[in-house]
Amino acid sequence: MQIKIPVLRQWRKYAFAILCIAASGSLALPVAEAVAQAASVTGQSLQPGDDFFTYVNSDWLAKTEIPADRSAWGAGAALAEDTNARLRQLVEDAAGDKSAKGERRKIGDFYASIMDEAGIEAKGIKPLAPMLNDIKAIRNKSDLARVLGSSIRADVDALNATNFFTENLFGLWIVQGLNDPQRYTPYLLQGGLGMPDRAYYLSDNPRMVELRTKYLEHIAAILRLAGLSRPEARASRIFELEMKIAQSHASREDSADVQKANNTWRSADFTSKAPGMDWKIFFKAAHLEKENTFIVWHPGAVTGASKLVANADVQTWRDFLRFHLVNHYSYALPKAFGDEHFAFYERSLSGTPEMSPRWKRGLAATNLALVGPVGHLYVDKYFPAENKARLNEMVVNIVAAFSKRIDKVDWMAPATREQAQAKLKTLYVGIGYPDKWQSYEGLKIKAGDALGNARRAETFRLMQQLAKLGKPVDRTEWSMPPQLVNAVNMPMQNAINFPAAILQPPFYDPNGSDAVNYGAIGSVIGHEISHSFDDQGAQFDAQGRLRNWWTPEDLAHFKQAADLLAAQFSTYKPFPDLSVNGRQTLSENLADLAGLNASFDAFKSSREGNPASADEDRQYFIGFAQSRRTKARDAALRRQIVTDGHAPSQYRAATVRNLDAWYRAFDVQPGQALYLAPADRVRVW
């Protein structure tokens, strides 16, 4: 049976970040007020058991408009907007301070250069000349291998659903090994596409067919702006090459299967397993010539791309590289390039009507290039020590609650239980900001050199990552900056991060009630802890090694429960022609379910002998649903469903239908749309 929750289309969510659970506005509504705001849908009074998301958020949904420069809007986006306003002030102050030194000087000069529209216009595409000349000099497959290797960037993360895309032929990721947690290992991932996923090239859905036409036009437009002759003919050849690359790509679902990704290749294996590329030249150009062992996350894509290198026309590859180079740096080129980039990637792909103002784009570029130094400025100014202490107390309580749930599950054998508890005991929890800050001393930022600064910053980032090879693994290394409204679990490090920017209203209110805080930020904390035990995290042991630590019977039980949750989410259908993929979103859905249970338990135990009232229980669940409220444009929602590991927010809010306490709190009865009989409620941890 397909469940169609009665919501208006513009209410649907696009998850803008990996584990950031979006909402907007105050989360401290009294229960009576929240109940009074319950919507009327199709003329009938809406009950919490019919659509809990809309029941709680109806007033916000009715009154909120998505800003014109956004494809979606919610609490995470609103909080990010506030954070950006703070960052803008910090960055502009640095730019205007002629006496600024060190990293603050770099921040100011980078921002000023990217904001210098007149200077950028005057230079045109001349700053790209050295790289374009390298491409022009390609005469054979050896030259091609060299340029492909030299253009690699460390800009992907195989376990991060929103950082999985690179237009370079291959993506590079450097983290500890799947089988050797003591050693940093280089990973190669599929890449080479200008659209977000293989489905955009291969699906026969009319929307995808339309986007392919628009993308072909976009390629030609960028080539025309770059001054290349016959742009339409070149664009057709580039597009055909990308179509062939897409045919060798793994699906999102397969990409999330870490067992399929665990492919160890020696450097000498590449010639025989992926013939066509001159791998010796490629690795030398990528500064990887000294590495003997790689993990190839997508072997089919690496093999397929290598065949294309061997068989495709060199002129087509030159045009492919030219297009992606110019397309990538559009933000640091004259206005016409940025306008064209926006027209396709934001307006066509995500439905965003208007481009963000220049300062927002300049701030985003500065944040990307100097993410550590900008984060350091933000923390020094805006993250008080007392927030860190109180959040740490909540984390301790929720970890303890999860530990008790592990002890109580009746299906788990003692040996499996012991391993699960070991993961909790060794879990590293980072709150606010990293224990130590990376140095940016070697990065050269030159006033007035927008594109050169961007290029050098990417190279610096690559060299930072390459420098980890051969060194001991640092389990306390952060994968998110403190100024990001987000949170993350890193199963290979057995670590979680809660950046400073998410630890403020509406997710966490130091003046708010425990019920609302545990329902909002507490469920996020529980979500991240639970990722250590979702369908991916459960495959890693306490040291982050990919290892089966389950008895066969326990693993079968876990997979059975996970399959039930996947099936539950696959019944949700946001569009007549497009359903939620319960398997693709399984990791996030498992984490939502387990995290909500653990956070609720922690809230109850935090009362210290003073039991929570029924009203407070309702506040907890209302706080949870309010923290998920988001609206998205149709194009953005479709893109999310195809490419993201997160289900739309109204369906994530429906996770409550698996908790007995929710039924008691809101007197949910049989016959209501979300009602599940006790035996049908999914129970994992």
Side-chain angles (χ1 to χ4, degrees), residues 18-86:
I18 173 176
L19 302 175
C20 177
I21 307 170
S24 181
S26 171
L27 297 186
L29 275 179
V31 172
E33 185 179 344
V35 171
Q37 291 181 358
S40 174
V41 176
T42 62
Q44 298 180 357
S45 178
L46 183 65
Q47 297 297 316
D50 289 323
D51 177 359
F52 192 58
F53 176 80
T54 307
Y55 173 82
V56 171
N57 296 312
S58 59
D59 188 62
W60 180 88
L61 291 165
K63 295 178 179 178
T64 301
E65 294 292 333
I66 301 172
D69 65 343
R70 295 278 188 155
S71 61
W73 190 249
L79 185 52
E81 193 83 353
D82 293 341
T83 302
N84 281 342
R86 291 175 167 183

Side-chain angles (χ1 to χ4, degrees), residues 261-392:
N262 189 18
N263 308 290
T264 301
W265 289 16
R266 306 288 291 178
S267 57
D269 294 335
F270 281 82
T271 300
S272 59
K273 291 185 176 182
M277 176 81 77
D278 190 325
W279 288 103
K280 186 175 181 179
I281 291 176
F282 178 91
F283 285 134
K284 183 177 181 180
H287 306 283
L288 292 166
E289 70 273 18
K290 295 181 180 179
E291 293 304 304
N292 294 319
T293 303
F294 295 79
I295 291 182
V296 179
W297 200 273
H298 300 107
V302 172
T303 299
S306 299
K307 288 181 181 177
L308 291 172
V309 167
N311 298 328
D313 176 60
V314 169
Q315 176 60 46
T316 300
W317 277 104
R318 284 199 293 261
D319 288 338
F320 169 90
L321 289 165
R322 288 180 180 119
F323 162 69
H324 282 293
L325 176 68
V326 177
N327 193 50
H328 176 69
Y329 287 113
S330 294
Y331 67 94
L333 290 171
K335 182 177 182 297
F337 291 88
D339 288 348
E340 173 56 36
H341 191 277
F342 168 82
F344 177 71
Y345 286 98
E346 297 301 326
R347 184 177 292 126
S348 296
L349 274 182
S350 299
T352 307
E354 293 182 8
M355 184 183 289
S356 297
R358 182 78 186 187
W359 74 262
K360 286 187 179 181
R361 289 176 279 138
L363 180 62
T366 307
N367 228 342
L368 184 65
L370 292 148
V371 64
V374 172
H376 205 163
L377 281 184
Y378 176 81
V379 166
D380 287 347
K381 179 78 172 178
Y382 291 111
F383 191 66
E386 55 267 26
N387 280 13
K388 187 166 185 171
R390 188 171 174 191
L391 264 298
N392 188 63

Side-chain angles (χ1 to χ4, degrees), residues 92-109:
E92 289 185 347
D93 285 349
D97 183 2
K98 302 305 180 185
S99 64
K101 304 293 184 183
E103 292 182 348
R104 192 162 179 266
R105 176 75 278 142
K106 295 180 195 293
I107 291 170
D109 285 347

Side-chain angles (χ1 to χ4, degrees), residues 18-249:
I18 173 176
L19 302 175
C20 177
I21 307 170
S24 181
S26 171
L27 297 186
L29 275 179
V31 172
E33 185 179 344
V35 171
Q37 291 181 358
S40 174
V41 176
T42 62
Q44 298 180 357
S45 178
L46 183 65
Q47 297 297 316
D50 289 323
D51 177 359
F52 192 58
F53 176 80
T54 307
Y55 173 82
V56 171
N57 296 312
S58 59
D59 188 62
W60 180 88
L61 291 165
K63 295 178 179 178
T64 301
E65 294 292 333
I66 301 172
D69 65 343
R70 295 278 188 155
S71 61
W73 190 249
L79 185 52
E81 193 83 353
D82 293 341
T83 302
N84 281 342
R86 291 175 167 183
L87 291 172
R88 180 188 186 184
Q89 189 64 56
L90 291 171
V91 169
E92 289 185 347
D93 285 349
D97 183 2
K98 302 305 180 185
S99 64
K101 304 293 184 183
E103 292 182 348
R104 192 162 179 266
R105 176 75 278 142
K106 295 180 195 293
I107 291 170
D109 285 347
F110 189 100
Y111 181 75
S113 71
I114 208 76
M115 293 298 291
D116 181 13
E117 295 183 79
I120 291 173
E121 290 289 339
K123 292 179 180 178
I125 66 167
K126 289 180 182 178
L128 284 178
M131 291 167 277
L132 289 171
N133 287 337
D134 281 347
I135 295 170
K136 185 178 180 180
I138 296 173
R139 292 289 180 265
N140 51 47
K141 304 301 168 60
S142 296
D143 292 340
L144 178 58
R146 176 183 54 79
V147 174
L148 289 170
S150 65
S151 64
I152 202 165
R153 298 191 302 268
D155 61 348
V156 294
D157 181 339
L159 297 181
N160 183 333
T162 60
N163 190 21
F164 190 75
F165 166 66
T166 180
E167 70 270 32
N168 284 346
L169 190 59
F170 304 120
L172 176 66
W173 188 40
I174 297 176
V175 289
Q176 68 190 62
L178 289 172
N179 310 300
D180 182 4
Q182 303 303 315
R183 178 180 177 273
Y184 282 112
T185 301
Y187 293 67
L188 286 184
L189 282 72
Q190 63 192 17
L193 303 182
M195 290 193 286
D197 185 79
R198 69 193 291 269
Y200 284 78
Y201 295 82
L202 307 180
S203 171
D204 59 2
N205 182 289
R207 168 66 178 164
M208 296 301 197
V209 174
E210 177 188 2
L211 284 172
R212 286 198 284 274
T213 299
K214 291 184 176 181
Y215 179 55
L216 181 60
E217 294 169 352
H218 169 68
I219 299 173
I222 290 291
L223 296 177
R224 190 178 301 110
L225 287 170
L228 294 175
S229 63
R230 299 175 290 107
E232 287 79 10
R234 293 175 189 257
S236 294
R237 291 195 295 269
I238 293 168
F239 183 78
E240 287 303 315
L241 176 57
E242 289 193 25
M243 283 287 288
K244 293 175 182 177
I245 293 172
Q247 289 166 1
S248 70
H249 272 209

Side-chain angles (χ1 to χ4, degrees), residues 550-588:
W550 300 70
T551 66
E553 296 78 14
D554 289 348
L555 187 59
H557 187 284
F558 176 80
K559 288 183 175 180
Q560 182 181 29
D563 288 345
L564 291 173
L565 193 63
Q568 184 180 112
F569 272 79
S570 291
T571 64
Y572 302 143
K573 194 167 186 178
F575 297 95
D577 62 337
L578 191 61
S579 299
V580 174
N581 186 331
R583 185 60 55 182
Q584 178 178 301
T585 59
L586 181 58
S587 295
E588 300 302 327

